[in-house]
C-alpha cells in the first residue's frame, strides 16, 4: 500500500514538472544567450493523466478487495476461536464423564456383589428350612409309630402289657395335629421363599447381563442400571421380612405361586397401593396387560388425567394407567409385548425391553436393544426416551401440530405418522382420508391407513417368553 502511494506521488510530481517546464521561467545563460521555456505537449499530459486515472481505479479496486478479504479473515478467526472454545469445553466434559463412568462402574461392581450376597443368604435360609422340615417329618414319623403301638396294645413297660388310656390317646393326637400344622406352615414358607428366590435369580441374571453390556452404554443407561441394582438389593433384603400372605408385585409372581388361569387379579408393586390388573397366563409365565382394544366399546380419546389413572373395563377394553405402568416397570428389567391382529385374523408380535419414566418426565418411554428396522421402527428408540402426549398435553416432535388432537387418543408420538394404538376404532375402512389417519394403526406392518382389529400391550420380566 505504501509503495503504491509513493509511485502515485512520483507521477504527480512528474506531471507538474512537465506541465510547468523547468526551471519554470525565462533566464539567460552564462554566455548571455537567452533560453526558451520548455513545455510538454498536450498529448503527453493526456497520456500521463489517463495513466494516473487508471492507476487510481486499480488502487481503489485493490483496497476494496483487501478490505473484503480482511473481513472474511476476521469472521473466520472468530469462528475458529469459538470452535476452539467449544472443543475445550467438550474435552473437559468428556474428562469429567470419564471419571464419573469409572466411579459408577466401581459402584455397579459393588452392588453386584451385594445382590449375589443377598441371593446366597436366601438360598441358605431355604436350605435350613428344608432341613428343619425334614427333622420335623422324622419326629412325626416316630410319634406315629409310637401311637400305633399304643393303640394296638403292643407298648410294654418292663414285662407288663398295657393299653393306652383315652387321655393318653387324646394328648398324642393333639400333638400330632400341632406338628402337622407346623409342618404345613413350614412347607408354605419354604414354597414362598423359593418363589422369591426364583424371582430374585431372574433379576440377578438380567442385571448381570446388563452390567457387562453397560461398559459401552451411555451415562443415562448406566444410571438406570444402578438404580435397578439398588432396588433389587433393597427388595432382596426386605422380602425376607415380608408377611407370608403378602401380595404379588406383578402377574409373573402370581404365576410362580401357582396361578395358571388368565383373569383379573389384585397385585401390589413395591412401595405402592394395591390395584387390580388383568393377567395373561401362558405356559412360561404371567403377563400384566397394559392396554387392550377389541370392539370399540371404550372411547380412547381421553385427556391427560384419564391416561394417567387408567380407564375402561379389565374384562373388556381398557387402559391400565401411566402411573401404574411406571410403578410396575421400576421393579426390574421388563419386556413390553405388543400383539396386533388384522381383519384377516393374521397376527404380529413385537417385543421391546423397556422402562417408563415418571410424570416429571411426562412418562417417557425408553426402549432398549430393539432394531430400528421393519416392524420395530414404528416406535421410537431415542436414548432420551419419548414423552407421552394427549390433546391437552402436547409433547410430540411436531412443532406446528398436536398429533394427539389431530389423530385422537394419547400415545408416545414422535411425529404423527408411525403408530397409534389408542386412536379411533373402525370396523371398516372409512372413505375419508383424514378419518383413516385417526384409526388404530401400526404403519410398518399394515400401513398408516389400515385400521387394526385388535391390539394388546402387556409386560413381564425380561426372561419370560410369550407362548402364542
Amino acid at each position: 500500500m505504501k509503495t503504491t502511494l509513493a509511485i502515485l506521488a512520483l507521477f504527480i510530481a512528474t506531471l507538474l514538472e512537465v506541465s510547468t517546464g523547468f526551471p519554470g521561467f525565462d533566464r539567460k545563460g552564462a554566455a548571455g544567450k537567452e533560453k526558451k521555456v520548455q513545455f510538454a505537449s498536450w498529448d503527453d499530459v493526456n497520456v500521463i493523466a489517463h495513466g494516473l486515472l487508471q492507476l487510481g481505479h486499480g488502487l481503489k479496486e485493490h483496497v476494496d478487495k483487501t478490505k473484503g478479504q480482511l473481513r472474511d479473515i476476521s469472521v473466520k478467526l472468530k469462528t475458529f476461536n469459538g470452535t476452539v472454545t467449544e472443543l475445550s469445553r467438550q474435552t473437559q466434559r468428556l474428562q469429567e464423564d470419564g471419571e464419573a463412568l469409572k466411579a459408577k462402574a466401581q459402584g455397579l461392581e459393588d452392588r453386584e456383589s451385594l445382590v449375589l450376597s443377598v441371593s446366597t443368604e436366601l438360598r441358605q435360609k431355604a436350605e435350613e428350612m428344608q432341613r428343619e422340615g425334614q427333622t420335623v417329618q422324622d419326629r412325626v414319623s416316630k410319634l406315629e409309630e409310637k401311637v400305633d403301638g399304643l393303640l394296638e396294645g403292643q407298648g410294654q413297660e418292663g414285662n407288663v402289657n398295657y393299653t393306652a388310656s383315652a387321655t393318653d390317646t387324646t394328648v398324642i393326637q393333639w400333638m400330632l395335629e400341632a406338628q402337622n400344622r407346623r409342618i404345613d406352615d413350614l412347607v408354605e414358607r419354604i414354597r414362598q421363599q423359593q418363589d422369591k428366590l426364583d424371582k430374585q435369580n431372574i433379576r440377578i441374571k438380567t442385571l448381570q447381563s446388563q452390567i457387562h453390556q453397560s461398559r459401552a452404554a451411555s451415562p443415562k443407561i448406566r444410571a438406570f442400571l444402578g438404580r435397578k441394582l439398588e432396588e433389587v438389593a433393597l427388595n432382596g433384603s426386605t422380602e425376607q421380612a415380608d408377611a407370608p400372605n403378602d401380595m404379588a408385585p406383578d402377574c409373573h409372581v402370581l404365576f410362580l405361586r401357582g396361578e395358571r388361569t388368565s383373569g383379573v387379579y389384585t397385585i401390589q408393586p413395591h412401595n405402592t397401593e394395591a390395584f387390580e390388573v388383568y393377567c395373561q397366563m401362558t405356559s412360561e409365565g404371567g403377563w400384566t396387560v397394559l392396554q387392550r382394544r377389541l370392539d370399540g366399546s371404550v372411547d380412547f380419546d381421553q385427556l391427560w388425567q384419564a391416561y394417567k389413572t387408567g380407564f375402561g373395563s379389565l374384562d373388556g377394553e381398557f387402559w391400565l394407567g401411566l402411573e401404574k405402568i411406571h410403578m410396575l416397570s421400576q421393579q426390574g428389567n421388563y419386556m413390553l409385548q405388543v400383539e396386533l391382529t388384522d381383519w384377516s385374523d393374521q397376527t404380529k408380535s413385537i417385543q421391546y425391553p423397556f422402562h417408563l419414566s415418571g410424570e416429571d418426565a411426562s412418562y417417557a418411554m425408553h426402549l432398549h436393544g430393539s432394531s430400528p428396522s421393519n416392524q420395530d421402527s414404528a416406535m421410537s428408540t431415542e436414548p432420551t426416551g419419548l414423552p407421552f402426549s394427549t390433546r391437552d398435553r402436547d409433547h410430540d416432535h411436531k412443532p406446528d401440530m398436536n398429533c394427539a388432537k389431530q389423530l385422537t387418543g394419547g400415545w408416545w408420538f414422535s411425529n404423527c405418522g408411525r403408530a397409534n394404538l389408542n386412536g379411533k376404532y373402525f370396523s371398516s375402512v372409512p372413505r375419508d382420508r383424514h378419518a383413516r389417519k385417526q384409526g388404530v394403526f401400526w404403519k410398518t406392518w399394515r400401513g398408516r391407513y389400515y385400521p387394526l382389529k385388535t391390539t394388546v400391550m402387556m409386560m413381564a420380566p425380561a426372561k419370560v417368553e410369550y407362548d402364542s
Side-chain angles (χ1 to χ4, degrees):
M1 177 72 71
K2 290 181 178 180
T3 303
T4 305
L5 293 175
I7 294 171
L8 179 61
L10 181 59
F11 268 103
I12 293 172
T14 304
L15 178 61
L16 290 174
E17 219 177 278
V18 171
S19 61
T20 58
F22 181 81
F25 56 88
D26 294 343
R27 65 180 181 177
K28 295 182 178 180
K33 292 182 179 181
E34 186 179 346
K35 292 187 177 180
K36 295 182 180 181
V37 178
Q38 298 293 326
F39 293 97
S41 66
W42 186 252
D43 291 337
D44 293 336
V45 172
N46 286 337
V47 169
I48 294 173
H50 183 70
L52 287 174
L53 184 61
Q54 288 182 342
L55 179 61
H57 284 301
L59 286 173
K60 184 178 182 302
E61 292 176 358
H62 180 71
V63 169
D64 292 340
K65 182 177 180 182
T66 303
K67 287 181 179 179
Q69 291 175 346
L70 288 174
R71 284 195 296 269
D72 293 341
I73 292 172
S74 177
V75 171
K76 290 179 181 178
L77 283 174
K78 290 181 181 178
T79 304
F80 178 76
N81 290 335
T83 303
V84 170
T85 303
E86 180 63 23
L87 286 174
S88 177
R89 286 197 295 266
Q90 290 182 1
T91 301
Q92 184 176 358
R93 280 200 299 268
L94 287 173
Q95 290 175 348
E96 294 173 355
D97 291 344
E99 294 174 358
L101 286 175
K102 290 179 182 178
K104 290 180 180 179
Q106 183 62 41
L108 285 172
E109 292 176 357
D110 295 340
R111 293 186 185 103
E112 180 182 6
S113 300
L114 177 60
V115 171
L116 293 175
S117 175
V118 171
S119 176
T120 303
E121 291 178 2
L122 284 172
R123 290 194 186 95
Q124 291 175 352
K125 184 172 181 181
E127 291 173 357
E128 290 175 1
M129 294 183 71
Q130 289 176 348
R131 288 194 295 270
E132 185 177 354
Q134 185 61 42
T135 303
V136 172
Q137 186 65 40
D138 294 340
R139 292 176 61 186
V140 169
S141 299
K142 292 180 181 180
L143 285 173
E144 288 177 349
E145 292 176 0
K146 184 175 180 180
V147 170
D148 291 339
L150 290 173
L151 292 176
E152 293 174 2
Q154 294 176 353
Q156 297 182 358
E157 187 174 348
N159 294 324
V160 180
N161 295 332
Y162 69 93
T163 302
S165 65
T167 302
D168 292 339
T169 302
T170 302
V171 171
I172 292 172
Q173 288 177 343
W174 177 83
M175 291 176 63
L176 282 174
E177 291 174 356
Q179 289 290 347
N180 286 333
R181 285 194 299 270
R182 187 181 179 192
I183 290 171
D184 293 340
D185 181 63
L186 287 173
V187 170
E188 178 63 21
R189 290 176 62 189
I190 290 172
R191 186 185 67 80
Q192 292 178 359
Q193 288 293 338
Q194 188 63 43
D195 290 343
K196 293 176 181 178
L197 185 61
D198 292 340
K199 182 179 178 182
Q200 194 74 1
N201 285 334
I202 291 174
R203 292 181 183 175
I204 289 170
K205 290 178 181 179
T206 302
L207 292 173
Q208 284 175 336
S209 174
Q210 291 185 348
I211 287 172
H212 294 302
Q213 296 175 356
S214 68
R215 301 296 180 183
S218 66
K220 290 187 177 181
I221 299 299
R222 288 175 180 267
F224 168 71
L225 293 178
R227 291 196 303 271
K228 298 301 107 182
L229 281 169
E230 289 176 356
E231 291 172 5
V232 170
L234 178 62
N235 294 338
S237 60
T238 57
E239 280 181 353
Q240 301 179 55
D242 290 344
N245 295 324
D246 59 338
M247 289 188 181
D250 60 24
C251 291
H252 184 60
V253 175
L254 288 171
F255 174 87
L256 295 176
R257 293 181 181 179
E259 298 292 346
R260 295 295 183 271
T261 304
S262 299
V264 179
Y265 294 87
T266 300
I267 63 171
Q268 186 175 15
H270 302 310
N271 303 321
T272 65
E273 297 293 331
F275 54 87
E276 288 187 335
V277 297
Y278 188 92
C279 294
Q280 182 71 36
M281 300 299 183
T282 70
S283 60
E284 299 296 332
W287 291 76
T288 306
V289 180
L290 312 179
Q291 181 254 34
R292 185 164 56 196
R293 308 294 301 274
L294 298 174
D295 51 13
S297 58
V298 174
D299 182 10
F300 273 64
D301 190 16
Q302 302 286 337
L303 301 180
W304 180 267
Q305 187 62 31
Y307 271 101
K308 175 183 176 180
T309 57
F311 53 87
S313 171
L314 293 175
D315 291 322
E317 289 193 334
F318 68 91
W319 175 261
L320 183 61
L322 291 167
E323 186 63 25
K324 295 172 184 176
I325 300 172
H326 164 64
M327 292 300 179
L328 284 165
S329 72
Q330 298 307 299
Q331 300 182 109
N333 195 331
Y334 280 81
M335 185 73 70
L336 174 66
Q337 176 94 10
V338 179
E339 290 290 318
L340 309 174
T341 306
D342 63 15
W343 290 92
S344 300
D345 291 331
Q346 295 183 0
T347 61
K348 181 66 182 178
S349 175
I350 307 165
Q351 289 188 349
Y352 300 92
F354 90 109
H355 78 275
L356 195 70
S357 297
E359 188 173 17
D360 56 341
S362 302
Y363 298 109
M365 174 72 78
H366 301 265
L367 305 178
H368 313 293
S370 59
S371 170
S373 62
N374 58 56
Q375 284 76 20
D376 290 355
S377 63
M379 291 191 71
S380 174
T381 56
E382 298 180 11
T384 57
L386 195 63
F388 195 85
S389 293
T390 57
R391 53 189 168 93
D392 62 331
R393 296 279 185 93
D394 184 12
H395 301 127
D396 58 53
H397 290 180
K398 278 278 192 179
D400 57 345
M401 185 181 297
N402 184 335
C403 294
K405 187 174 182 179
Q406 183 77 9
L407 303 182
T408 75
W411 189 251
W412 296 276
F413 292 107
S414 60
N415 54 50
C416 299
R418 300 177 71 177
N420 181 16
L421 300 188
N422 293 332
K424 286 185 178 180
Y425 187 91
F426 294 117
S427 57
S428 60
V429 180
R431 292 185 178 181
D432 182 64
R433 181 184 177 87
H434 178 71
R436 293 199 300 270
K437 292 181 181 179
Q438 298 179 339
V440 180
F441 70 93
W442 191 272
K443 181 178 179 180
T444 53
W445 186 46
R446 286 293 180 260
R448 184 179 182 184
Y449 302 108
Y450 185 96
L452 297 172
K453 182 179 181 180
T454 67
T455 69
V456 178
M457 298 173 64
M458 50 191 177
M459 62 184 290
K463 291 296 183 181
V464 179
E465 297 179 359
Y466 180 71
D467 183 9
S468 56

Short mmCIF file of all heavy atoms in Angstrom, two decimals, residues 38 77 359 431:
data_model
loop_
_atom_site.label_atom_id
_atom_site.label_comp_id
_atom_site.label_asym_id
_atom_site.label_seq_id
_atom_site.Cartn_x
_atom_site.Cartn_y
_atom_site.Cartn_z
N GLN A 38 10.73 25.40 -21.75
CA GLN A 38 10.32 24.15 -22.39
C GLN A 38 8.95 23.73 -21.83
O GLN A 38 8.77 23.68 -20.61
CB GLN A 38 11.34 23.04 -22.08
CG GLN A 38 12.72 23.33 -22.63
CD GLN A 38 12.75 23.32 -24.14
OE1 GLN A 38 12.03 22.55 -24.77
NE2 GLN A 38 13.59 24.18 -24.74
N LEU A 77 -11.63 -16.06 11.82
CA LEU A 77 -10.90 -16.11 13.10
C LEU A 77 -11.87 -16.21 14.27
O LEU A 77 -11.65 -16.96 15.23
CB LEU A 77 -10.03 -14.86 13.24
CG LEU A 77 -8.73 -14.85 12.42
CD1 LEU A 77 -8.04 -13.50 12.55
CD2 LEU A 77 -7.79 -15.97 12.88
N GLU A 359 -44.09 -39.08 35.99
CA GLU A 359 -44.82 -37.94 35.44
C GLU A 359 -43.92 -36.72 35.26
O GLU A 359 -44.16 -35.90 34.38
CB GLU A 359 -46.01 -37.59 36.33
CG GLU A 359 -46.93 -36.54 35.73
CD GLU A 359 -48.19 -36.30 36.53
OE1 GLU A 359 -48.23 -36.71 37.71
OE2 GLU A 359 -49.15 -35.72 36.01
N ARG A 431 -64.02 -43.94 4.08
CA ARG A 431 -63.69 -43.39 2.76
C ARG A 431 -62.84 -42.14 2.86
O ARG A 431 -61.98 -41.90 2.02
CB ARG A 431 -64.98 -43.09 2.00
CG ARG A 431 -65.77 -44.33 1.61
CD ARG A 431 -66.97 -43.94 0.75
NE ARG A 431 -67.72 -45.12 0.32
CZ ARG A 431 -68.79 -45.07 -0.45
NH1 ARG A 431 -69.25 -43.89 -0.88
NH2 ARG A 431 -69.42 -46.18 -0.79
#
